[in-house]
Amino acid sequence: MSNTIKIEVKDQNPLTALKDFFGSLLNLQDIGALFISQHLPMKSVVMPTLITDSDHLQRIDPLAPAFPLNGAKLVARLTHKSIGKKVAAVLRPCEIRAFIELVKLKQGRLEELIIIGVDCLGAYNNEDYKSFVDKNGPESTRLFYQNILDGKKGLIDGIDLAPACKACEHPVPETADIIIALWGIDINKELFVITQSPKGDDIIDKLNFNKTDEPATRLEAVTSLKADKIAWRDKMFAQIDEETNSIEKLTKYLAGCVNCYNCRVACPVCYCKECVFVTDVFNHEPFQYLKWADRKGILKMPTDTIFFHITRMAHISLACVGCGQCSNACPNNIPLTELFRSAAFRAQKAFDYEAGRDFAESPPLAVFHEDEFSEVTSVK
Amino acid sequence: MEDFEPIIIAFVCNWCTYTAADLAGTSRLKYPANVRLIRVMCTGMVDPKYIIKTLLEGADAVLISGCHPGDCHYINGNYKARRRIKLLHALLPQFGFERERVKLTWIGASDGIEFAETIAEMVKEIKMLGPVKTKLKMVI
Ligand code: SF4
Ligand code: SF4
Ligand code: FES
């Protein structure tokens, strides 16, 4: 069951139409709050906000190519205990997919959550978004979505989509309750809202819109878009795999890492409550460092950099959704997303699993069967 | 590569493979001295990071060995271990740690002979593969 409604866009301004739509949503009795990105009054920063009063919808901008963090962990924070009210969260597809992984790990709950997924046009990395908005001011978001929807792929004045977005084959929110549809649609004239669950239907019924059909142009646009993204992704995989196919090369790739662990803080699916790398396990005795240094005559400090990254890979590659935030977070501009997504691709393939695909799919390391994977014990 | 003597770190479960290794010893069976045993209570407690660290520190291979399916003393530790090794087999070869360097086997308590044979065979295999690359270069 899926319902579609059409929202007229006036004055070629889809953002106003979205504000009205979210306003009426927020006015529904059982919706307690709206989680949505907006321009903060400070600087040109776009951040998620939790809105309870529709007066504060003025600066919302879910179409801005800004993606300062993956909201999955924040939504988990909002939902891990009952609050007696519903929260509607407006999210990108990769935020939803990461949240699905957190729900499986019992770190977030679905019960009081309405997931509103926006067809994802992609985003710039943090630094690029900043230059983009500094240059183009209040017109930046419009400039961006027009460029994307005209098929120009977001390259504007030398600023290009983040690699994570270029390689992302999930430009539509497949598991949202409600989708704000943008692909294949002239959003200066109209917007479509599509429901995908009874929860979504319930909301739309209460809003009293006339039902219509999903425009066929959307599916066409999405199909060709996905093919493009997959082609780019596979090229990216080939390149990163070549660049890191030995321990020497991996060491070179990660050479700038200072063990700040920002990448794991930014990662929505780095799920450990306490990361072992910041515990006393790694608070070695001073003499130990000298002993290690003595073995080869030299020891890089801080130590255990590669160890950290491969261990993080073992922890999260089955849950990585390729959101790109690890790269965004790295102070030394190490292209981590390429590395982790390619590892994730191999790991998820091995278990015929896809992170964020389905709430009902168990994380591969949380289940086991007696009769399986006999090849593991017969490596020759 | 003639005189290369690989170092193999073996995580063996107390109840099966460790007992098998003990039996091999008391039966005076000969097996190569390349292996260093670490006794753990169950293969299910071998965290992937022990294996990663071991390889990064320059061990040429890691053996994880425990009870046969159905025989684990903690019911399902060995099934969990199997999935973890499956994951490492998907991740590590990309960085030059061939699957052969992370071996999982089931060796029951009475299989002293099989234990000795497994080690001998593994040493042969790793000799053919050559030393692990982390030994040779500075790894950060
Ligand atoms: S590893 Fe990087 S790309 Fe993957 S989910 Fe975490 S932050 Fe996103
Ligand atoms: S964010 Fe960058 S420097 Fe910090 S730990 Fe991750 S890779 Fe290393
Ligand atoms: S007790 Fe031997 S593998 Fe679990």
Side-chain angles (χ1 to χ4, degrees):
Chain A
M1 93 262 82
S2 160
N3 284 303
T4 302
I5 59 168
K6 185 161 95 177
I7 300 176
E8 300 294 339
V9 170
K10 292 190 203 94
D11 307 324
Q12 309 226 336
N13 198 339
L15 274 180
T16 309
L18 283 175
K19 281 172 204 167
D20 291 346
F21 174 74
F22 289 125
S24 47
L25 197 86
L26 197 50
N27 286 335
L28 289 178
Q29 241 203 334
D30 54 341
I31 303 283
L34 184 70
F35 177 92
I36 192 166
S37 288
Q38 66 170 299
H39 293 272
L40 298 187
M42 323 75 180
K43 282 189 158 176
S44 38
V45 169
V46 173
M47 282 285 162
T49 51
L50 189 66
I51 303 179
T52 53
D53 179 345
S54 50
D55 281 355
H56 289 289
L57 287 168
Q58 280 322 308
R59 308 173 72 98
I60 64 159
D61 193 356
L63 306 184
F67 190 25
L69 53 82
N70 186 310
K73 271 194 179 161
L74 298 174
V75 176
R77 248 184 224 201
L78 282 171
T79 58
H80 78 279
K81 282 183 188 154
S82 170
I83 42 175
K85 274 182 186 156
K86 288 203 172 99
V87 173
V90 181
L91 299 167
R92 291 181 188 272
C94 61
E95 296 179 292
I96 301 173
R97 291 188 297 120
F99 181 70
I100 290 175
E101 292 304 300
L102 294 180
V103 170
K104 291 176 186 174
L105 296 165
K106 309 261 184 291
Q107 297 190 3
R109 285 162 66 255
L110 285 172
E111 284 72 5
E112 291 168 312
L113 182 69
I114 315 284
I115 301 177
I116 303 178
V118 183
D119 270 4
C120 190
L121 308 181
Y124 299 137
N125 73 31
N126 286 347
E127 279 173 31
D128 285 347
Y129 180 70
K130 195 177 171 304
S131 341
F132 180 66
V133 100
D134 283 350
K135 180 147 185 253
N136 299 297
E139 274 307 296
S140 21
T141 297
R142 175 187 293 276
L143 196 66
F144 172 72
Y145 66 67
Q146 206 56 60
N147 174 293
I148 291 276
L149 294 171
D150 289 347
K152 294 187 195 148
K153 304 189 176 177
L155 178 62
I156 301 173
D157 298 336
I159 292 179
D160 206 354
L161 288 188
C165 304
K166 287 194 190 180
C168 175
E169 70 277 53
H170 297 281
V172 297
E174 278 120 2
T175 40
D177 297 305
I178 294 174
I179 298 177
I180 310 286
L182 307 173
W183 289 117
I185 290 162
D186 184 356
I187 67 170
N188 290 315
K189 287 207 197 103
E190 57 196 20
L191 290 169
F192 289 85
V193 173
I194 305 169
T195 65
Q196 297 197 116
S197 73
K199 260 194 213 168
D201 286 335
D202 183 49
I203 300 272
I204 293 305
D205 284 345
K206 286 184 189 146
L207 290 178
N208 277 325
F209 279 95
N210 290 332
K211 307 247 160 86
T212 171
D213 289 324
E214 180 181 336
T217 48
R218 179 169 180 260
L219 187 65
E220 280 163 31
V222 169
T223 310
S224 85
L225 181 71
K226 278 189 188 171
D228 271 12
K229 301 268 192 181
I230 288 174
W232 201 91
R233 176 199 77 186
D234 290 348
K235 241 175 47 206
M236 175 185 98
F237 284 163
Q239 199 182 332
I240 180 74
D241 290 353
E242 163 61 35
E243 240 176 291
T244 56
N245 62 10
S246 69
I247 199 70
E248 290 96 324
K249 284 188 180 173
L250 182 68
T251 300
K252 197 166 147 198
Y253 195 85
L254 295 167
C257 175
V258 294
N259 292 33
C260 71
Y261 307 137
N262 283 358
C263 47
R264 70 132 171 87
V265 176
C267 178
V269 295
C270 236
Y271 49 79
C272 298
K273 293 273 160 137
E274 185 180 35
C275 177
V276 64
F277 284 90
V278 299
T279 62
D280 275 350
V281 173
F282 288 87
N283 189 9
H284 309 298
E285 292 295 326
F287 77 87
Q288 188 65 272
Y289 293 103
L290 267 80
K291 263 175 72 182
W292 282 325
D294 232 11
R295 278 190 315 190
K296 289 182 188 171
I298 183 168
L299 177 72
K300 179 254 169 195
M301 290 185 82
T303 58
D304 294 309
T305 303
I306 300 279
F307 184 30
F308 161 68
H309 285 285
I310 299 184
T311 301
R312 199 173 96 76
M313 228 172 249
H315 278 202
I316 58 91
S317 58
L318 288 166
C320 168
V321 294
C323 66
Q325 290 303 342
C326 42
S327 292
N328 232 356
C330 180
N332 296 306
N333 291 324
I334 299 173
L336 294 160
T337 303
E338 287 86 333
L339 177 64
F340 277 77
R341 248 223 91 178
S342 130
F345 188 74
R346 268 187 289 278
Q348 294 178 23
K349 202 160 127 202
F351 288 93
D352 192 16
Y353 181 80
E354 196 185 299
R357 177 166 57 190
D358 186 353
F359 289 102
E361 233 172 338
S362 302
L365 292 192
V367 286
F368 50 82
H369 305 287
E370 189 170 338
D371 233 343
E372 61 175 7
F373 302 137
S374 59
E375 77 282 1
V376 175
T377 41
S378 56
V379 173
K380 276 270 146 58
Chain B
M1 221 57 86
E2 285 296 287
D3 44 3
F4 160 55
E5 286 298 338
I7 295 174
I8 297 171
I9 304 295
F11 294 92
V12 291
C13 110
N14 179 55
W15 305 102
C16 286
T17 308
Y18 182 80
T19 312
D22 207 21
L23 180 64
T26 49
S27 319
R28 296 180 184 277
L29 291 172
K30 277 229 157 72
Y31 60 87
N34 306 63
V35 65
R36 324 281 196 262
L37 296 186
I38 297 177
R39 173 160 62 155
V40 293
M41 287 314 281
C42 174
T43 55
M45 66 156 286
V46 182
D47 188 307
K49 67 178 170 291
Y50 302 164
I51 299 166
I52 296 164
K53 180 72 171 168
T54 306
L55 290 169
L56 288 175
E57 288 299 317
D60 298 290
V62 181
L63 172 70
I64 303 96
S65 184
C67 315
H68 282 274
D71 290 348
C72 173
H73 284 233
Y74 308 95
I75 304 172
N76 50 34
N78 50 1
Y79 302 148
K80 293 175 186 161
R82 185 165 55 193
R83 282 197 168 223
R84 291 176 192 144
I85 305 302
K86 168 102 184 154
L87 173 65
L88 292 179
H89 282 172
L91 293 176
L92 294 180
Q94 162 63 21
F95 310 119
F97 301 110
E98 299 86 342
R99 285 194 175 84
E100 291 84 340
R101 297 193 194 271
V102 181
K103 200 180 180 77
L104 175 69
T105 60
W106 315 132
I107 300 176
S110 56
D111 291 337
I113 296 174
E114 195 183 333
F115 176 80
E117 283 173 0
T118 303
I119 300 297
E121 201 180 302
M122 202 170 163
V123 169
K124 227 166 67 196
E125 244 173 53
I126 303 301
K127 277 190 173 173
M128 303 233 306
L129 267 182
V132 73
K133 298 288 189 303
T134 48
K135 211 183 326 257
L136 311 174
K137 291 257 160 60
M138 177 156 116
V139 171
I140 59 172

